[in-house]
Amino acid sequence: MDDVCALACTLPRSSEAIVRGRVKFRIGRIVYLSFSRDGAVMGFAFPKEWRAALVDSEPEKFGLPSASDMRYHWVHVRLAAIDEPEMRELVEDAWAFVVPKQVAEAYAATKT
C-alpha cells in the first residue's frame, strides 16, 4: 500500500483523502483508487465493459466490487498478488481513466 500511495502522490492533479477511515486517491471529486481498511485490497477505476474479462482471467488477483459498487467503473486487486510493474500499470491506468485526456497524454509523453 505504501508503494501505491507514493506513486499516486506523484501523479498530476491527484490528491489523497481519508474517507470513513479508508485511504482514497482522487482527481477532484472522482475517486480512482481506494484501499480496504487493512490495506490488503485496492479498488481502482477500470472500464466496466472489461471488468468481467479481467476478473475471469486471473481470479486469484482480481475481484468484482460489492453489489452496490457494480454501477461504477471499479474492480479490486489483492496487492500481495501483484508485483511493482503491474501495480504501477494499474495505478497509472486508473488515474488516466479519470483525468482529462490532455493531462494523461502530457504525463505519458514525459515517460518516453
Side-chain angles (χ1 to χ4, degrees):
M1 184 173 151
D2 291 340
D3 292 340
V4 174
C5 292
L7 172 59
C9 285
T10 68
L11 298 172
R13 300 190 185 187
S14 181
S15 64
E16 183 176 352
I18 306 295
V19 180
R20 294 186 203 114
R22 299 173 83 177
V23 176
K24 298 183 183 233
F25 283 88
R26 55 189 176 193
I27 305 298
R29 296 177 52 114
I30 301 172
V31 174
Y32 71 95
L33 294 177
S34 179
F35 297 94
S36 60
R37 291 192 197 288
D38 65 3
V41 175
M42 177 180 75
F44 60 99
F46 191 82
K48 283 190 226 180
E49 59 273 11
W50 299 341
R51 181 169 49 198
L54 178 68
V55 172
D56 290 346
S57 71
E58 296 184 271
E60 69 284 356
K61 287 184 186 181
F62 300 103
L64 294 173
S66 65
S68 63
D69 285 342
M70 287 295 286
R71 63 186 174 182
Y72 300 113
H73 293 273
W74 205 247
V75 72
H76 292 164
V77 64
R78 288 174 262 315
L79 290 174
I82 60 173
D83 60 13
E84 194 276 335
E86 189 171 16
M87 175 276 293
R88 178 173 286 281
E89 182 180 358
L90 293 174
V91 171
E92 289 176 343
D93 287 351
W95 168 83
F97 189 72
V98 300
V99 76
K101 185 177 180 179
Q102 66 271 22
V103 175
E105 288 171 349
Y107 177 78
T110 66
K111 294 182 64 175
T112 57

